[in-house]
Amino acid sequence: MARTTFQGPLRSLGGIYQQGPAAVVEITASTTLTPEAHGGRIITVGGSLASAVTLTLATISAATNPVTSGPGQDPNTLNNEGVVYTIWIPTTISTSSLKIGTDGTDRFIGSVISVDTDTSGAVVGFTAGANDDFINFNGTTTGGVAGTWVQIVAVAALKYMVAGNVLGTGTVATPFATS
């Protein structure tokens, strides 16, 4: 099977993948993420941020595909289930914070593993609560140390699945929150 480079959101279709410089997007200011510009890409945020950065995820649409096309085959569908956002922090957040939030109606499900990188090496798992719609990294206890990453997938109406490895310092604490 021939491989095809696809410049839109990454899809789990045989032979379609994304590579090259457009596959990594650096963000330094608050941004609303979209499937077209950010889905299937690695989003990098970190270092000396001028102010707090908030990444707002696109509202999940579970709209039905038209009967004239098969699942995932209509490029004009409003449905964005399956869109993957991978957020990586290559340089420790040192001057502010990073918040990853939803539209206020979508919620996170899933968990992250947090690692204390400076003292005990403690490893703790944190699970999103029923009303959590934010992931907050402060560069210390709630994560954001270089190497932190989370992957967020729109899995159903109102539900973003999240997994990741969150690196922190001191006594690590949950990055999940309601604001």
Side-chain angles (χ1 to χ4, degrees):
M1 176 198 290
R3 292 187 308 207
T4 305
T5 301
F6 182 70
Q7 297 303 317
L10 183 64
R11 301 287 184 201
S12 296
L13 301 173
I16 296 178
Y17 63 94
Q18 192 171 75
Q19 69 183 39
V24 179
V25 178
E26 183 178 357
I27 294 179
T28 59
S30 293
T31 303
T32 297
L33 304 180
T34 65
E36 300 81 12
H38 305 98
R41 291 172 170 79
I42 297 171
I43 301 160
T44 66
V45 184
S48 298
L49 304 173
S51 61
V53 170
T54 300
L55 302 180
T56 304
L57 299 166
T59 299
I60 298 172
S61 171
T64 305
N65 280 329
V67 295
T68 56
S69 65
Q73 300 302 312
D74 183 355
N76 298 313
T77 186
L78 298 177
N79 187 311
N80 62 355
E81 291 175 308
V83 172
V84 178
Y85 300 99
T86 301
I87 300 160
W88 176 53
I89 299 172
T91 308
T92 300
I93 296 171
S94 60
T95 57
S96 200
S97 64
L98 169 62
K99 291 182 164 212
I100 305 164
T102 71
D103 63 359
T105 59
D106 296 333
R107 301 286 184 257
F108 290 116
I109 57 172
S111 61
V112 297
I113 300 296
S114 290
V115 180
D116 173 2
T117 63
D118 69 339
T119 55
S120 70
V123 177
V124 181
F126 293 108
T127 302
N131 294 316
D132 288 339
D133 57 353
F134 273 86
I135 300 170
N136 297 328
F137 296 131
N138 62 7
T140 59
T141 57
T142 62
V145 170
T148 294
W149 66 269
V150 291
Q151 192 165 68
I152 301 167
V153 183
V155 292
L158 306 177
K159 293 181 182 177
Y160 271 112
M161 177 179 66
V162 64
N165 289 329
V166 175
L167 306 180
T169 59
T171 302
V172 294
T174 184
F176 293 108
T178 57
S179 63

